[in-house]
Structure formats: C-alpha cells, structure tokens
Amino acid sequence: MTEYPTALGASSLEKITLLGQDLAQDVMGKVSFGELAFWLATQRRPAPGETRVFEAVLAALADHGFTPTAIVTRLTYLSAPDSVQGALAAGLLGGGSRFLGVTEDCGRFLHEAVSTVEEPANWDEVALETVQARRAAGKFVPGLGHHVHKNGDPRTARLFEIAREEQQFGPHLALFEAIGRVHPQVLGKTLPLNGAGACGAALADLGLPLELLRGFALLARTAGLIGQLAEELRNPVANDIFLSVDLNNRPVPPAGGSHG
C-alpha cells in the first residue's frame, strides 16, 4: 500500500494532529496564527522574537488602501457577490512585480549578494558593489523607491527597529540598510527603502524559504482583502468605480486603422 508521509495535519478517529501536536489541546488557544504560519512553513516552532518580527511583516503587508489588488477584489465581488472566494482570489492573483511581489524579489536579490560574502562584512562596500553591478546590468534595485513615500517609508524604519530589538537583524537587513546609505553615489539621487523590500529582507533573515516569500505577502494581503470586502459591504464603492469607467469611455478607431 502506498504511503504519503506528512509532518503537517493528520486525523484519526480520536484526534487531529498538526506538526506533531494535538491540535485541539496543544495548538488551539495556545499558538498565535502568525506563529503557526511560521511553524508550518519551517516545521520548527519559532522563538518569540522571530514570531514578533514575522507578525510585524504580516502587519506591514496586510493592506495599502485602494491598490489594484483591492480594487479588483471589490469589483469581482460586485460582479459575483455569490463568490467571496473568487473575489479574494482575484485580488491575490494581482500580486506580482509591482505589488506584493517586491517582497520576494528583494529577498532573493539580497540573498544572492549575501551568499557570496563572508561575515563580518563591510556592508557599505558590499552594497556599493551590488548597486553598481545592478546599474551596469540595466536593472532596478528591488526594494528601492516608493510612489507615495518619497521621503521614507515609515514601515522600513520600524521593521529595522523591531528586528534589532529581537536580535533578528541579520545580513539581509544589514545589506538592505547599507543600500539605503550608498545608492545615491551610484544613481545620483536618493530613493527611499520601501517597506515591501524591508519585509523581504526580514523574512530572509528569519530563514524562511526564498521560494515562499511571495506566499507570505499573499497571506498578509488575504487579511487586508477580507477587510476590503467587509468595508465594501458597509460602504460600497465598487459600483461607483465601475460606472466611472463605463460612463466615461471614449470610442476611438482601432489602432490598426481601417482597410478598404
């Protein structure tokens, strides 16, 4: 008989186990959701300091107002109010290189640089070389710049502070912080370190799988999208958003022109 081993959830007639624990007796009411999410991903129970940093990341990424992911969630619910799961899925599918995906992109970018460095390192020197190489390749530096917080993303400084308080400020955060100091030498202008990038650095320092960093951003945003739907129920705006486009479209000839 084929067996499929798992260290995650399993059920018997008498009880449910999760991560080797009795779900009802040892997890429910004793383990926070953030702690459990970390534990599920790593299969090791995080220390309290790790949980605090991880949950700070989740809070930082939960909701950013009327972003495309929030708008499409509201519009999908307007179109299909019988499909809450469809509305949530629509918003999550919009998590990519411009929204939410920066967390994973920055974590991977920093890890690639950190993996070539022996600690202790002069992080300003490493950062300068890293930014110069990125510039030479004609690529953007992930986590650098923000369309609203031109003078500094408030999430970034706070996440640095929390990570330091909990002794979780590792090489990825150190390199990211250094990039904030040295990039003007290369780019000729000063850009803020955005919160999504800081979150990616923090998650990488926690040792979470790089391949799942976007998943944690989506986990956080799920809570935010539920909030968007709850607000849509109380104070609907989706129909106004729809009508603002529908009533103001302007017919134009096809881009290819007409052919006789």
Side-chain angles (χ1 to χ4, degrees):
M1 180 177 178
T2 303
E3 293 186 343
Y4 301 94
T6 178
L8 302 179
S11 300
S12 67
L13 183 61
E14 294 81 16
K15 67 179 182 179
I16 303 171
T17 59
L18 181 63
L19 296 161
Q21 310 295 311
D22 185 300
L23 176 64
Q25 299 302 319
D26 301 326
V27 179
M28 294 171 62
K30 297 181 179 179
V31 179
S32 72
F33 182 70
E35 181 180 3
L36 181 61
F38 188 110
W39 197 350
L40 286 166
T42 62
Q43 298 199 7
R44 68 172 182 84
R45 189 167 187 173
E50 292 177 309
T51 299
R52 184 177 179 227
V53 172
F54 182 65
E55 291 184 342
V57 167
L58 296 182
L61 297 174
D63 183 76
H64 296 165
F66 285 113
T67 60
T69 58
I71 292 169
V72 73
T73 289
R74 289 187 185 232
L75 289 174
T76 302
Y77 186 75
L78 172 68
S79 179
D82 52 314
S83 180
V84 170
Q85 71 274 23
L88 292 173
L92 295 177
L93 288 171
S97 59
R98 294 186 178 179
F99 290 88
L100 295 177
V102 176
T103 296
E104 179 177 316
D105 295 342
C106 190
R108 285 177 175 271
F109 160 71
L110 294 170
H111 187 74
E112 183 177 344
V114 165
S115 64
T116 65
V117 176
E118 291 186 9
E119 295 187 67
N122 184 321
W123 291 114
D124 280 22
E125 289 183 2
V126 177
L128 189 59
E129 293 174 1
T130 302
V131 176
Q132 287 172 335
R134 197 77 177 181
R135 179 68 179 272
K139 297 179 179 179
F140 292 110
V141 178
L144 199 56
H146 196 284
H147 68 289
V148 175
H149 304 299
K150 305 294 186 181
N151 298 320
D153 189 325
R155 298 170 298 170
T156 301
R158 180 56 177 150
L159 194 53
F160 285 169
E161 181 181 27
I162 293 171
R164 283 194 164 99
E165 288 173 356
E166 301 298 341
Q167 288 78 52
Q168 300 299 324
F169 197 94
H172 299 87
L173 282 167
L175 176 56
F176 192 56
E177 185 179 51
I179 287 173
R181 291 191 294 267
V182 308
H183 76 270
Q185 300 176 42
V186 181
L187 305 184
K189 57 183 177 181
T190 301
L191 298 171
L193 295 174
N194 62 55
C199 287
L203 293 174
D205 273 344
L206 289 172
L208 292 160
L210 298 175
E211 298 85 355
L212 298 182
L213 297 192
R214 187 174 303 188
F216 298 118
L218 294 174
L219 172 66
R221 186 53 54 90
T222 299
L225 294 180
I226 291 173
Q228 291 284 336
L229 289 177
E231 187 172 79
E232 182 67 21
L233 291 172
R234 296 190 301 270
N235 182 29
V237 299
N239 197 55
D240 292 338
I241 295 172
F242 158 59
L243 291 176
S244 71
V245 177
D246 186 54
L247 299 178
N248 293 286
N249 66 74
R250 179 173 58 89
V252 298
S258 60
H259 297 279

